[in-house]
Amino acid sequence: MNHRTTQTSLALFCKVVDNYGDIGICWRLARQLEQEHGIAVTLWVDDLASFQRICPQVAVDRELQQVGAVTIRHWSGQDGVFAAADVADIVIEFFACDIPPGYIAAMAERVPHPVWLNLEGLSAEAWVEGCHALPSPQSRSLTKYFFFPGFTNKTGGLLLESGLLQQRQAFQQDPAVMAAFLRQFGVTPAETASLKVSLFCYPQAPAPALFEAWQNGGAAMTCLVPEGVAVDAVETFLGRAALAGASATRGALTVRVLPFIPQQDYDKLLWACDLNFVRGEDSFVRAQWAGKPFVWHIYPQDEDLHHVKLNAFLQSYTATTENLAEFSLNWNEAAKKTADWAALWASLAADMPKIAIMAMDWQRQMLANGDLACNLLKFAKTVR
């Protein structure tokens, strides 16, 4: 008798709110589920243009396409008619994105019902542990479960592909490979030898003041900025349009504009730099796996609720020093006094060697929690 194992299917719904963070997380998760766990993944995305920025293989004018072995469907926001056979074994809505009512209706008709998860945003706040994996009864006998990534073993952990840390270590231990990677963006040997900083932030970041502090500092610095990031500050510094390939040196600071690069190359950029400014959630997590000092620009929320989230992380992150915390609060406009950026930078720079050592200890703590994809699939098995 010929026995066949049915491949587990999974549908992941993503609405792009934070330009690249939402789709960045979902695309990494989709690829890992398919490549490492053999899951048949369909990724529903409403903004293919943002998706294409981090994955050039994506066609922006196609309703249905394959990228690798992952099925990509354009989610236009219009409800459709779905049959029970269209529904995946596991259905994930990213950050409460309200999947189509027609799909939910088909979920109710499917026997057995699919495992329905709401994959929430990452937070170090204490309440997350109590809400992780909680069921939420829905209509038509369906149940949705809240699944929280996080920083403790009482959460879903962090996204981490198998072998990523070994790849990072090999890259960082080979100066020639690192120099060749940077050279493709026009980075000179002198810039490679300088203190290298990557800058990925929201438009309201106080980048002009930081550029001034760096420019007037004594140590040579190179700031690598993806095209479209901190545009006003970069154009003011350059004296011209902030297009990929543009660069200028003023005082101790060189600013160089990079093209917007695919996810794998962005990881390498984080690995190659001495300090990384990151934003949102996706680059925030990748900076932690880079094992280098980083400053997080958190996604702004009404009534400054994001400041609570920022403080919760700074208090839990074991690589936080008093100077890193003060710098981070000022970078996010959460400090109680006016920033002296020259002093803030000098204090942070002095702490960077210590922060880098502590960042590796933090990685070991995070590894002990397991990775998000594995934890998610284990949980799904328990509630089927």
Side-chain angles (χ1 to χ4, degrees):
M1 182 179 294
N2 184 23
H3 294 279
R4 294 184 60 189
T5 302
T6 303
Q7 185 179 24
T8 300
S9 59
L10 182 146
L12 174 56
F13 288 83
C14 173
K15 282 189 176 179
V16 177
V17 177
D18 179 17
N19 294 315
Y20 314 110
D22 308 282
I23 184 56
I25 294 163
C26 290
W27 181 228
R28 291 188 195 276
L29 178 60
R31 275 193 326 228
Q32 185 181 3
L33 289 169
E34 187 280 320
Q35 293 174 0
E36 298 183 16
H37 300 279
I39 306 296
V41 180
T42 299
L43 176 56
W44 294 77
V45 186
D46 67 336
D47 182 353
L48 294 176
S50 290
F51 193 178
Q52 188 186 58
R53 296 292 299 277
I54 63 169
C55 180
Q57 300 97 311
V58 170
V60 298
D61 57 351
R62 297 186 62 182
E63 296 297 311
L64 176 65
Q65 57 192 296
Q66 292 279 134
V67 177
V70 176
T71 299
I72 310 295
R73 301 201 63 161
H74 182 216
W75 181 13
S76 64
Q78 298 174 349
D79 192 26
V81 177
F82 297 88
D86 299 325
V87 174
D89 300 314
I90 304 171
V91 178
I92 301 175
E93 57 182 48
F94 182 72
F95 212 27
C97 63
D98 295 328
I99 60 181
Y103 196 92
I104 296 175
M107 288 164 60
E109 298 298 323
R110 186 186 188 276
V111 180
H113 291 336
V115 176
W116 184 4
L117 304 176
N118 178 13
L119 180 57
E120 287 283 357
L122 175 62
S123 177
E125 294 169 277
W127 61 265
V128 166
E129 291 185 347
C131 293
H132 176 60
L134 283 183
S136 174
Q138 306 291 307
S139 61
R140 307 187 189 191
S141 300
L142 291 169
T143 300
K144 176 163 53 176
Y145 296 89
F146 294 98
F147 200 88
F148 283 83
F151 304 102
T152 74
N153 60 8
K154 296 180 181 179
T155 68
L158 300 176
L159 266 174
L160 175 65
E161 301 90 336
S162 175
L164 179 75
L165 299 186
Q166 290 82 357
Q167 294 168 27
R168 186 212 73 207
Q169 186 176 37
F171 179 87
Q172 291 176 333
Q173 291 178 347
D174 194 331
V177 169
M178 191 182 304
F181 170 77
L182 293 172
R183 191 162 55 244
Q184 68 181 308
F185 305 118
V187 178
T188 67
E191 292 165 7
T192 299
S194 71
L195 184 71
K196 298 176 294 298
V197 178
S198 75
L199 178 63
F200 190 39
C201 60
Y202 295 111
Q204 68 271 23
L210 188 55
F211 280 1
E212 183 178 357
W214 287 343
Q215 180 179 333
N216 296 327
M221 293 188 60
T222 301
C223 181
L224 305 175
V225 189
E227 188 176 23
V229 173
V231 173
D232 291 344
V234 173
E235 289 187 344
T236 298
F237 184 88
L238 297 177
R240 59 191 174 108
L243 301 177
S247 67
T249 300
R250 301 183 188 279
L253 175 62
T254 297
V255 172
R256 186 172 289 279
V257 182
L258 275 54
F260 215 91
I261 53 181
Q263 281 186 325
Q264 293 92 329
D265 283 344
Y266 181 69
D267 284 336
K268 292 178 181 177
L269 178 65
L270 297 177
W271 301 345
C273 288
D274 303 294
L275 172 66
N276 295 301
F277 286 77
V278 291
R279 77 181 201 191
E281 182 173 327
D282 182 54
S283 60
F284 170 49
V285 172
R286 305 313 279 194
Q288 292 174 59
W289 295 131
K292 297 291 189 73
F294 69 89
V295 177
W296 182 28
H297 202 199
I298 190 169
Y299 187 76
Q301 294 178 287
D302 293 337
E303 300 180 358
D304 291 335
L305 292 177
H306 56 298
H307 291 167
V308 176
K309 195 172 178 180
L310 173 65
N311 276 292
F313 175 71
L314 290 173
Q315 290 166 16
S316 65
Y317 183 50
T318 55
T320 298
T321 65
E322 182 178 342
N323 291 323
L324 175 58
E326 186 177 3
F327 191 102
S328 299
L329 292 171
N330 278 280
W331 187 244
N332 286 275
E333 300 179 318
K336 296 180 180 179
K337 61 182 181 179
T338 303
D340 178 346
W341 284 103
L344 286 168
W345 168 244
S347 298
L348 177 61
D351 275 0
M352 280 174 51
K354 178 169 59 175
I355 293 170
I357 293 171
M358 294 191 297
M360 301 308 293
D361 291 333
W362 174 258
Q363 278 193 8
R364 286 186 279 272
Q365 292 179 49
M366 295 303 99
L367 285 170
N369 298 330
D371 73 273
L372 182 69
C374 285
N375 291 337
L376 187 151
L377 292 176
K378 288 176 184 175
F379 175 75
K381 285 183 179 179
T382 66
V383 296
R384 275 185 186 170

